[in-house]
Amino acid sequence: MLGIDALPLAASESNLLAARELMAFTLAFHIVLACLGVALPAMILTANWLGLKRGDADAMRLARRWSKAMGVTFAVGAVTGHRAQLRVRPALAELHVPLRRRLRDRLRGRGALLFTEAIFLAIYIYGWKRLGGWAHFWSECRW
């Protein structure tokens, strides 16, 4: 029979397991979506370039459809990455001060790059009918 003192320990162990499972699930999705976030823009630019260079309507239609998928993967990847970052920040408090500062600066830099990427992605997705052919193409070249 369990004593009263054993109950909080059992509850905290189950909470720890649930938190670790949630973090693993979040990181698993973020890793997959980050890979798609790198590959999709290259494929979209290739299809868009072929469509503009050769006048291929099918390539342009393909680039437009893929850009919608890229917007969804970016949004979900940003949310999962932000969630993972929030879980990492408390662990920074236990690190050595210079290392903690370097990691904190890197996380801030990632946030600024993510914001910039979101702006260019929005211009690209909403600029299909609003921008000319090559201007629209160069709005995607954010690397």
Side-chain angles (χ1 to χ4, degrees):
M1 185 163 160
L2 293 173
I4 294 176
D5 294 335
L7 289 177
L9 181 62
S12 67
E13 285 177 2
S14 67
N15 288 340
L16 180 62
L17 179 64
R20 287 181 176 170
E21 287 174 348
L22 180 63
M23 187 64 182
F25 182 75
T26 302
L27 282 176
F29 265 95
H30 182 68
I31 289 169
V32 170
L33 292 172
C35 292
L36 284 174
V38 171
L40 273 176
M43 293 185 336
I44 291 169
L45 276 178
T46 303
N48 197 346
W49 183 79
L50 287 173
L52 289 172
K53 195 75 169 171
R54 297 181 183 170
D56 189 359
D58 291 334
M60 293 300 282
R61 191 169 41 251
L62 184 64
R64 189 169 185 169
R65 287 184 185 166
W66 280 351
S67 68
K68 293 174 186 175
M70 182 176 58
V72 172
T73 58
F74 177 81
V76 177
V79 170
T80 57
H82 182 67
R83 174 75 179 134
Q85 182 179 354
L86 289 178
R87 298 292 298 166
V88 168
R89 281 191 185 255
L92 292 179
E94 299 174 10
L95 293 175
H96 186 53
V97 175
L99 178 62
R100 183 174 60 212
R101 286 184 185 140
R102 253 188 308 183
L103 288 174
R104 186 180 60 220
D105 292 341
R106 283 189 182 171
L107 290 175
R108 284 183 185 156
R110 280 188 66 203
L113 291 175
L114 186 72
F115 186 69
T116 305
E117 185 176 359
I119 290 171
F120 281 104
L121 181 62
I123 291 170
Y124 185 75
I125 290 174
Y126 294 112
W128 275 103
K129 293 182 180 176
R130 293 166 182 84
L131 293 173
W134 286 106
H136 181 256
F137 173 80
W138 288 112
S139 71
E140 175 60 16
C141 295
R142 63 184 180 273
W143 317 310

